[in-house]
Amino acid sequence: MLTKKQLELLRFIDRHMKAHFVSPSFEEMKEAVNLKSKSGIHRLVTALEERGFLRRLPHRARALEVIKLPPGAGVAASASDAGFRPSVIEGDFGRGGAESGDAVSIPLYGQIAAGTPIEALREHNETLELPATMIGNGDHYALEVEGDSMIDAGIFDGDTVVIQQCDTAENGAIVVALVDDLEATLKRLRRKGDSIALEPANTTYETRIFGPGRVKVQGKLVGLMRRY
C-alpha cells in the first residue's frame, strides 16, 4: 500500500518519462509533489524502490525505471522501457514462433551504426515477428542498435528498435536520420530554424547541427525489444 505522496510521485515520474523520455530531476519531482526539500524526494524514491515500483539504474544520472503501477493507477510499461516510451516488449521474441493471428512480420535490416545508410542495410533479408498490437498503420522495419549514444532514453547496445517508415517527424521524436545521403543514425530530432539538430541521449556525445537539406528522416521510433 502506497501513501498519497508516494503514489503522486510515482504517477508523476511515469508521466514525465512518457512525455520527455528521461527521468525527472529531483528538483522537478520536488515541485511536482509540493515538497520543500530534495531529501523528502529521496525518501519517497527509496520507499518506492523498496516496494518494487521503481528501480534505479547504477552509474547513470537521472536513471529510474518504473517497474509497475498499483492497480487502478494506470497501465505501466514493463520494467525495461523507462526513459523511453514507445511500446516495449521484454523477453526472447525469436524470428518466428508467434501465432500468425497475433503477430506480424517486418524486415530486420541489421545494425544501425554511423557510416551505414539504410539503403545498404536493406540488403539484409531477415525478418522479425512481433505482436500485431505493437505497431499501428504504415510500413515498419527493425534495426539492431549498436553503441550507447541513446542510453539515457532507455535504448541500449544490442536492443532492437521498431521503426515506422516516414519522411517527417515531430520535433523531439527519436528518428532514423540519414545525413548527407551517407550516414544513418538513431537520434532525437530538434528543429532550429532552417537547421536540424540530431541530439544524443548520452552526455558523453555532442549534439550535431546540420544545415538545410543535409538530414533526411527515414523513420521514427515506435517500439523497442530487449532480450535478457
Side-chain angles (χ1 to χ4, degrees), residues 8-156:
E8 187 179 355
L9 180 62
L10 182 63
R11 284 172 166 167
F12 170 69
I13 293 171
D14 188 60
R15 290 194 306 268
H16 191 282
M17 286 178 169
K18 289 176 180 176
H20 303 287
F21 311 105
V22 68
S23 305
S25 66
F26 271 36
E27 183 67 28
E28 290 169 325
M29 295 183 210
K30 180 169 69 75
E31 294 179 0
V33 299
N34 195 28
L35 289 182
K36 294 182 179 180
S37 69
K38 293 181 183 178
S39 61
I41 294 297
H42 177 76
R43 287 192 294 270
L44 289 176
V45 169
T46 299
L48 289 168
E49 188 177 21
E50 290 173 348
R51 287 164 174 76
F53 292 95
L54 285 181
R55 180 169 62 192
R56 278 185 270 206
L57 299 178
H59 313 304
R60 288 172 51 195
R62 295 178 62 174
L64 294 173
E65 289 183 337
V66 177
I67 297 174
K68 61 182 180 180
L69 293 177
V75 179
S78 60
S80 65
D81 69 337
F84 159 66
R85 300 315 251 194
S87 303
V88 179
I89 306 297
E90 286 185 12
D92 186 13
F93 285 86
R95 308 198 178 150
E99 296 181 8
S100 60
D102 300 324
V104 294
S105 180
I106 64 174
L108 175 64
Y109 290 153
Q111 291 184 326
I112 182 168
T116 307
I118 293 297
E119 283 70 16
L121 293 173
R122 283 178 179 158
E123 296 175 2
H124 293 255
N125 56 11
E126 293 184 78
T127 59
L128 184 71
E129 288 194 354
L130 66 159
T133 55
M134 190 176 178
I135 60 175
N137 296 327
D139 296 325
H140 295 74
Y141 58 91
L143 294 167
E144 294 179 1
V145 176
E146 182 179 42
D148 61 356
S149 66
M150 297 298 290
I151 59 172
D152 287 340
I155 306 171
F156 303 143

Side-chain angles (χ1 to χ4, degrees), residues 190 192 195-199 206-211 214-215:
R190 302 287 189 192
K192 298 184 177 182
S195 299
I196 287 180
L198 297 180
E199 180 181 279
E206 294 183 354
T207 296
R208 302 165 66 194
I209 300 176
F210 300 91
R214 294 188 61 192
V215 175

